[in-house]
Amino acid sequence: MITFYKMVVFIHIFSAIIGMGPGFILTTVVKAGTNMTELRHSYRLRHRLHIFVMVGGALLLVTGLTLGFLNPSLFHTGWYVTSLVLFLAALAIGPIVLSPRSKPVKTLLDSYQGEKIPDEYWRLSKILFRYENLENVIFIIIIALMILKPF
């Protein structure tokens, strides 16, 4: 018989797949655009994928904390606390770092006339993607901590 704890672990793992999986390709999706029409379409797809990231991320946080409250000894393990701190930091990166850097890109996509992708886009996206890649590294570290439980 499956215990409540195992059911929460199950939901937690699926939340990671649903939330983090698409998150790793958000940058790749928009790099495929070769003109403004394709680029705008890529950003619409990216927005749809980001919904999975947000839902999965919220479920990850809720189920991760639930696991901690069901098994309070987790709050005394280094891998759990480090994962939680890194996850909260990654969540904070969204509104604090990514949002201000994505707004100029969105404005450019909405206002630019023509099909040739302007140089300004490449400059802005390079900065945005650098922070998105940093966030992906944080998530890879979290996944490694969850699997290996090294300390």
Side-chain angles (χ1 to χ4, degrees):
M1 184 162 162
I2 294 179
T3 65
F4 181 69
Y5 188 86
K6 285 183 180 179
M7 189 170 59
V8 176
V9 169
F10 180 83
I11 294 168
H12 188 71
I13 292 168
F14 270 88
S15 299
I17 294 166
I18 291 167
M20 289 185 167
F24 287 118
I25 64 160
L26 290 178
T27 303
T28 307
V29 168
V30 294
K31 286 184 178 180
T34 58
N35 60 49
M36 286 302 288
T37 300
E38 290 177 2
L39 194 60
R40 287 183 181 106
H41 179 68
S42 297
Y43 272 90
R44 282 192 296 275
L45 287 174
R46 175 185 162 108
H47 177 72
R48 288 184 184 147
L49 288 170
H50 191 255
I51 293 168
F52 287 96
V53 173
M54 291 186 305
V55 171
L59 276 173
L60 272 173
L61 183 60
V62 169
T63 56
L65 289 172
T66 301
L67 292 169
F69 290 119
L70 291 173
N71 181 7
S73 67
L74 287 175
F75 288 107
H76 301 288
T77 60
W79 65 268
Y80 179 86
V81 173
T82 304
S83 296
L84 184 58
V85 168
L86 287 173
F87 191 80
L88 293 173
L91 285 180
I93 287 173
I96 295 170
V97 178
L98 296 178
S99 184
R101 282 157 185 82
S102 66
K103 284 181 183 173
V105 172
K106 289 177 186 174
T107 301
L108 180 71
L109 291 172
D110 290 341
S111 65
Y112 184 79
Q113 300 298 317
E115 282 299 307
K116 182 182 181 295
I117 299 173
D119 292 336
E120 179 69 5
Y121 168 78
W122 299 115
R123 186 186 67 75
L124 293 170
S125 66
K126 183 178 178 181
I127 296 166
L128 175 63
F129 296 161
R130 184 179 306 131
Y131 288 106
E132 288 181 355
N133 289 333
L134 170 66
E135 193 164 42
N136 285 340
V137 168
I138 291 171
F139 287 132
I140 289 169
I141 292 168
I142 292 169
I143 292 168
L145 289 169
M146 293 283 150
I147 295 168
L148 301 174
K149 298 172 178 53
F151 52 93

